[in-house]
Amino acid sequence: MINQYPLWKYLLLVMVAVVAILYALPNLYGEDPAVQISARHGAPVNTALRDQVASTLKKDNLPYKSMQLSKDQLLVRFLGTDEQLSAADRLTSALGDKYVVALNLAPATPQWLRDINALPMYLGLDLRGGVHFLMEVDMKAAIKQHYERYVGEIRTMLRKKRIHYSAVEAGARDLVMRFRTAEARTKARSALEATNEYDDLKLEDKDSPAGPELMATLTQKAQQKIEKFALQQNITTLRNRVNELGVAEPVIQQQGDKRIVVELPGVQDTARAKEILGATATLAFHFVDEDHNAGEAASTGHVPAGDKLYQERNGNPILLKRQVILTGDYITDASSGFDQQTGGPAVFITLDGKGGHLMQEATRNRVGSLMAVVYIESKVETKTVNGKTVRQRKKSEKVINVARIREELGKRFQITGLDSPQEARNLALLLRAGALAAPVDIIEERTVGPSLGKTNIAQGFESVVVGFLVVVAFMAVYYKVFGLLADLALGFNLVLIVAILSMLQATLTLPGIAGIVLTVGMAVDANVLIYERIREELRNGNSPQASIHAGYEKAFGTIADANITTLIAALVLFSFGTGPVKGFAVTLSIGIITSMFTAIMGTRAIVNLIYGGRRRVKLAI
């Protein structure tokens, strides 16, 4: 008997079908208007916050659908956008600046599907609406800033070695040291080569009318490392700023060697987005005034001369000396870990040469004193006053850490006294991402309205449906029962594509929909080749069973060749294309693989069920 599948193949197909249906289902449930509440700088997200939010909404008579509390955020779902917008405004004023209140569209997937991690696909900016920026990092400025950091270090080192120099100046492509004598230049070169801190520099003697010079240039490997660090730090900084804004599901990713793509779903105001991304943030280190009472100063309003009154994260007042020890501009790196002596969480900070010298001089005689870290953010806010748009620069200063100095600090030191490892990681992130490592220029921007996004979704869905129905009608008329089997496989193929995109949490874009439409047209190609081969075998006088077997076996090589060629083209598009082209390539690649599975294995299984094992049969083809 021929044309019969073993049981395991049928079970495999059934299992694939069940999994595909389960993971494609979430895309049918749509989304709920929601408000997403997340903490700023370590504020608690717990049941107390949930109770406060519930109380506020009840007081203002704002009904909500559900409330979900997770580790780092609280999500409140609403029945409509009117309630959502009203609740966001009310919660923003009620919670203050300790929390970020963001508008969100949360998937309305039932809990039993979320329990198996079945989630809907993300929608791209062209389908959901929002703002897209393509930014280019000024790598020349990043290199120049690195040369400028070396200036302070080298000056300090030359003074310590008692080597007399005329000037140490940084340029865009090199660093020049000028000396009065050639002997001083030789000593300086020997001193620089003797320490491994300057291994990244290539040294070259030069003579000019101003006197002997020593020119230092970065090695190619060092330049690449600096450029890579600048790009990654800028991405971290931008992500931190967007998170502070409260944009739900932003996309901030690297494109090429020096570009960053920023997509802000739901943000329609391009000018506002520019203000946020262009905001400046840095840190300042101050000594704590332990001789005066901060509580008394806060209650009376009389702040001692030379001091400034701040608030700690717990709300307690604290007096800091106005004199700044140093700012975050001198920080080159920060990482979180644990203090070796106490085992508590800590942040390990690395300063540049000048910053290390300043910290050393400031703390030499202040061991045992308290030092505070102040997070300073400056951004432009746009407000409407008397019908006119007014831009105001807002500066906020917050004490994020207070710790006691154990020993004289230098280029590398640690901050302790933190509540948790998570807080240490957050502080390290703020220290690393407080300011952009290099300037960025917006070289491309576009805004997609939500109404246009809905139109794109509707038109894309219609194109898939129309393409599907046309193919279904043609196959049913031309190949009869076998055509209906191909149509069934085509429908299963669409379910598989959606399921795989959902499982990968891929972002569906308009070009992605185009890839699905193209897949619908191409998916039945394999069935056409198989069916035409079966008809040819029947015309040659072969039996129906032999014709079915020959049709599937002999057409396989041609099908594989055609689909592999298309798959290679799709992979090339994915490798060398940008965002929209990648979206098209992803859906096309998935569609090719799933169509081969459904057209060959899927239809063969059903044909075997209908015709397999029967000696006398007439094929409806």
Side-chain angles (χ1 to χ4, degrees), residues 291-314:
D291 299 326
H292 296 90
N293 191 304
E296 184 180 336
S299 60
T300 62
H302 298 299
V303 179
D307 286 0
K308 189 173 180 181
L309 186 64
Y310 288 88
Q311 274 193 340
E312 295 186 73
R313 287 168 303 167
N314 57 13

Side-chain angles (χ1 to χ4, degrees), residues 280-328:
T280 59
T282 187
L283 294 152
F285 294 82
H286 297 258
F287 286 120
V288 177
D289 184 351
E290 300 178 66
D291 299 326
H292 296 90
N293 191 304
E296 184 180 336
S299 60
T300 62
H302 298 299
V303 179
D307 286 0
K308 189 173 180 181
L309 186 64
Y310 288 88
Q311 274 193 340
E312 295 186 73
R313 287 168 303 167
N314 57 13
N316 293 334
I318 184 171
L319 285 171
L320 302 185
K321 295 292 185 182
R322 284 186 177 273
Q323 184 179 359
V324 179
I325 301 169
L326 56 81
T327 64

Side-chain angles (χ1 to χ4, degrees), residues 228-550:
K228 184 178 179 181
F229 175 79
L231 186 66
Q232 292 302 320
Q233 187 173 347
N234 276 6
I235 289 173
T236 305
T237 303
L238 292 172
R239 184 174 288 118
N240 188 48
R241 292 180 183 181
V242 170
N243 288 342
E244 285 290 314
L245 170 68
V247 176
E249 295 174 12
V251 175
I252 304 169
Q253 60 189 17
Q254 179 179 341
Q255 185 177 103
D257 295 330
K258 57 181 180 179
R259 290 182 175 180
I260 303 170
V261 173
V262 179
E263 293 185 348
L264 308 177
V267 176
Q268 305 303 319
D269 190 345
T270 308
R272 173 67 177 144
K274 283 183 179 178
E275 291 168 6
I276 293 147
L277 297 177
T280 59
T282 187
L283 294 152
F285 294 82
H286 297 258
F287 286 120
V288 177
D289 184 351
E290 300 178 66
D291 299 326
H292 296 90
N293 191 304
E296 184 180 336
S299 60
T300 62
H302 298 299
V303 179
D307 286 0
K308 189 173 180 181
L309 186 64
Y310 288 88
Q311 274 193 340
E312 295 186 73
R313 287 168 303 167
N314 57 13
N316 293 334
I318 184 171
L319 285 171
L320 302 185
K321 295 292 185 182
R322 284 186 177 273
Q323 184 179 359
V324 179
I325 301 169
L326 56 81
T327 64
D329 296 335
Y330 297 100
I331 296 174
T332 59
D333 193 22
S335 60
S336 60
F338 294 93
D339 182 19
Q340 291 183 353
Q341 294 183 7
T342 65
V347 174
F348 302 94
I349 295 173
T350 302
L351 303 174
D352 61 16
K354 188 176 181 182
H357 177 70
L358 289 171
M359 182 62 79
Q360 188 176 29
E361 292 292 324
T363 60
R364 181 171 294 155
N365 300 316
R366 297 296 297 265
V367 174
S369 300
L370 286 174
M371 184 174 69
V373 182
V374 181
Y375 179 66
I376 305 167
E377 186 177 31
S378 177
K379 55 186 177 183
V380 177
E381 290 187 347
T382 303
K383 295 182 178 179
T384 303
V385 180
N386 298 326
K388 294 183 179 179
T389 302
V390 179
R391 289 162 58 89
Q392 297 177 337
R393 181 164 291 278
K394 184 181 178 182
K395 185 178 180 181
S396 64
E397 300 183 11
K398 299 175 183 177
V399 176
I400 58 174
N401 173 255
V402 179
R404 196 164 296 281
I405 302 169
R406 293 179 178 177
E407 58 186 0
E408 178 185 311
L409 304 178
K411 187 176 179 180
R412 294 179 180 86
F413 61 94
Q414 68 182 39
I415 294 176
T416 57
L418 302 164
D419 295 333
S420 66
Q422 179 62 43
E423 187 181 350
R425 286 191 290 270
N426 292 340
L427 179 57
L429 174 66
L430 287 174
L431 293 172
R432 287 197 306 270
L436 293 171
V440 292
D441 298 317
I442 298 174
I443 60 175
E444 178 189 323
E445 64 177 81
R446 64 175 183 266
T447 305
V448 181
S451 58
L452 179 59
K454 290 180 181 178
T455 303
N456 288 340
I457 292 174
Q459 291 179 345
F461 182 74
E462 287 174 9
S463 63
V464 173
V465 170
V466 170
F468 179 80
L469 292 177
V470 170
V471 172
V472 164
F474 171 79
M475 294 298 290
V477 170
Y478 198 74
Y479 290 111
K480 300 180 181 178
V481 173
F482 277 74
L484 292 173
L485 299 181
D487 294 337
L488 185 63
L490 182 59
F492 181 40
N493 182 46
L494 282 175
V495 174
L496 262 181
I497 293 173
V498 173
I500 291 172
L501 288 172
S502 300
M503 291 169 76
L504 295 175
Q505 282 294 276
T507 300
L508 183 66
T509 60
L510 202 57
I513 293 178
I516 294 175
V517 175
L518 181 60
T519 301
V520 168
M522 295 170 56
V524 293
D525 285 356
N527 293 115
V528 170
L529 289 170
I530 293 167
Y531 295 167
E532 287 300 323
R533 188 73 194 193
I534 292 173
R535 292 168 79 167
E536 185 179 340
E537 293 291 330
L538 290 171
R539 284 194 293 269
N540 291 336
N542 286 335
S543 68
Q545 296 291 357
S547 298
I548 291 171
H549 183 76

Side-chain angles (χ1 to χ4, degrees), residues 144-197:
K144 185 177 180 181
Q145 286 175 11
H146 206 77
Y147 279 125
E148 288 171 351
R149 287 195 183 100
Y150 273 125
V151 169
E153 293 182 28
I154 291 174
R155 283 175 179 169
T156 302
M157 187 269 294
L158 293 175
R159 282 196 296 267
K160 285 183 177 180
K161 299 283 185 181
R162 301 184 183 278
I163 300 172
H164 298 288
Y165 62 91
S166 301
V168 179
E169 298 174 348
R173 297 182 179 179
D174 55 28
L175 186 147
V176 177
M177 292 161 272
R178 296 190 180 91
F179 303 90
R180 291 187 178 89
T181 63
E183 182 184 0
R185 179 178 64 184
T186 303
K187 288 182 179 179
R189 179 163 189 159
S190 300
L192 289 169
E193 290 174 344
T195 175
N196 57 10
E197 289 186 20

